Amino acid sequence: MPIALPHHDGSSLFVSNTESGSVSLGDTVRLRVRVPQGWGPASKVWVRSVQDGEPRYDAAIRLRSADGWDWWEGAMLVANPVAKYRFLLEVTQTHDVGAAASAAMGSTIGRSYWNLNAQGLFRRDVSDAADFRLTAFAPAPEWLHKGTMYQVFPDRFARSVQAGNHPTPDWAIECSWDTPVAGTGELASTQFYGGDLPGITGKLDHLQELGVDLLYLTPFFPARSNHRYDASTFDSVDPLLGGDQALVDLVEAAHARGIKVMGDLTANHTGAAHEWFVKALADPGSEEAGYYYFSADHSSYESWWGVPSLPKLNWSSDALRRRFVADEDSVVARWLKPPFNLDGWRIDVGNMTGRLGSVDLNHEVARLIAHRVREINPDAALLAESTSDAAPDVTGEHWQGAMTCSNLTRPLWSWLAKDAPNVNFFGSPQSGPNRISAEDFLATHQDLAAGFSWGVRQNNMNALNTHDTARAATVMVDGGPEAGAVLTFCLPGLPVMFAGDEFGFEGFNGEDSRTPMPWAEGGLEGKPASVVKHRVVKDLRSVYASLARLRRELPALTEGGVRWLHAQGDAMIFVRETMESSVLVFVSRDAADVVLDDSVLSDAQLEALLLPPLHHSGTVATATAGPSGVESVRLCSEGISAGIWVISGTSLPLH
């Protein structure tokens, strides 16, 4: 049976005067922590903060009790832009507290001290690295953490009538819409299917039906590959995608439907065919030559991972900074302004931008870009890709959230993994995911999410897969994508669908995952708009639409804190909590039987679990587990399953 433990998560339930985890420098904030009476009770509590590099302890006061919890509150001065803190709890035990509490506390008699940080509860000293964080930076736009994102790889989404008028470029191999995708070799980047921006515009109804309110486009600039991360110019939209007017039309049509549009910009490199690089290569004395890293004799240059077609940008160049960021018609600025009006950027390989050997201009460049974006549109969003531990680079000062797989996608794949030895596991030498328990999933998730402020956690992209990874359906057990989607939509963060997830698409690596959508005739205007059934692996449209609807209708899923009740073996349970209402989420990868009692939930919350779930996959059931009344509730599943219940809010005794 789950054991209640002291809890704080940085959400507004526990932090006063915050907006998306952001405060102002010099503010004094009130921090709350709840301590289960059956665990302690705590005799003293301190807020342990780090101010100007020095630890400080401020005593908290006990407020009142509610539903078996003691609430404590302490004050902290926000002395630095990133204010770190944790709680120190003193427990004085003079009697036997029972087997459950004893197991949680490690001893039953005497005085003990516990540190509570973003990774959990520890009866030892811990590093400041996992402390909770408040940041004194401008908050991200509110729409971002409330959104549901849909990622489109333009060449493979849909073709318009005019797409047939575009000649196949000299670098490309023309493919019919139903040509199998090549996952490896030269064809992986040269297969050309002819999807374009008007094709996307023609399918916006599909996005609306899924509940999407943020469309993320991978690059739309001219290039010499189907992925277009090797831009040949930043000054125009690829004519193969319909040109500049096609982007204007797409954004206008999306906005009319309440859908934001985010572009994809590579600040780390250009393509070798880029007009800047062509001039730089031809003329060592040119301004553009300073945009890149050339050897002394100009015979070689630095590139992304040694790939010659992707020369690396040198952000030591003031001229590059002006042309890319600062100028009125800079790369960053141009597409955020009329007539294009993008709602933000996702920065490709943001973790590598401005870094080469001993040179580290990463945060400086990020700061420049962020200042320019917010100068143009304070309501624009700015996310960055970071393929490893993203927290040190994503504080909320510049990047407002991360496209990262480390804290959710990777451990989720491992928890739901089937025997999939031939998939690319995020570029590692592993021959597929390493199957782990729910305990290890939670430990990994908390370890790699601990370094983010609550505001950044809400804006991080929660993806089952992307255009750069294998498909979840190839990696996970049957039913895994449905269960995994529940976690991506219900945990803090921005849920992401990669086009084709709703049709159960498969793929062993990123290139193999870029299957054209299963529209009849490729989605051509004037042709049947129906789906080609034999190309749909598994129709999950209703699953994603249901989850997106719940995110819109249940504030706890976008505003609530997160408290884990159970993570053991094959099952996980957590609650998203606000004072007004809460949501309980139960996910299992196999048959599971978990009992929750009134030490972790109130009687009213337990009673609400006896109602049918608002959303479920597989088979889930609940029943009373106590001898009389609703003292405990059993949650059961048959095989891989998930369920979502609305329960009452969390009582907060402020007075």
Side-chain angles (χ1 to χ4, degrees), residues 211-285:
V212 170
D213 44 28
L214 174 55
L215 168 61
Y216 156 42
L217 302 171
T218 59
F220 49 70
F221 301 114
R224 295 186 61 79
S225 70
N226 53 39
H227 56 71
R228 295 184 170 89
Y229 285 99
D230 57 334
S232 58
T233 182
F234 293 124
D235 292 342
S236 62
V237 173
D238 194 334
L240 297 172
L241 293 176
D244 288 3
Q245 189 59 45
L247 180 62
V248 173
D249 294 343
L250 171 57
V251 174
E252 287 181 352
H255 285 175
R257 290 168 168 81
I259 299 173
K260 306 280 188 183
V261 183
M262 177 176 286
D264 197 336
L265 182 61
T266 302
N268 179 70
H269 54 263
T270 67
H274 197 284
E275 56 197 358
W276 298 348
F277 187 72
V278 170
K279 188 171 183 179
L281 197 61
D283 182 3

Side-chain angles (χ1 to χ4, degrees), residues 20 41 56 88 132 163 205 241 275 329 366 383 388 401 411-412 415 464 487 500 511 579 582 601 605 643 654:
S20 299
R56 174 189 174 99
L88 178 65
F132 298 107
D205 286 348
L241 293 176
E275 56 197 358
D329 200 34
L383 305 176
S388 186
L412 185 55
W415 186 59
L464 273 185
L487 292 173
E511 289 76 10
M579 285 190 288
S582 299
L601 294 173
Q605 291 173 329
L654 293 178

Side-chain angles (χ1 to χ4, degrees), residues 277 280-282 284 293-302 308:
F277 187 72
L281 197 61
Y293 291 95
F294 284 98
S295 61
D297 62 358
H298 211 69
S299 64
S300 62
Y301 55 89
E302 295 289 344

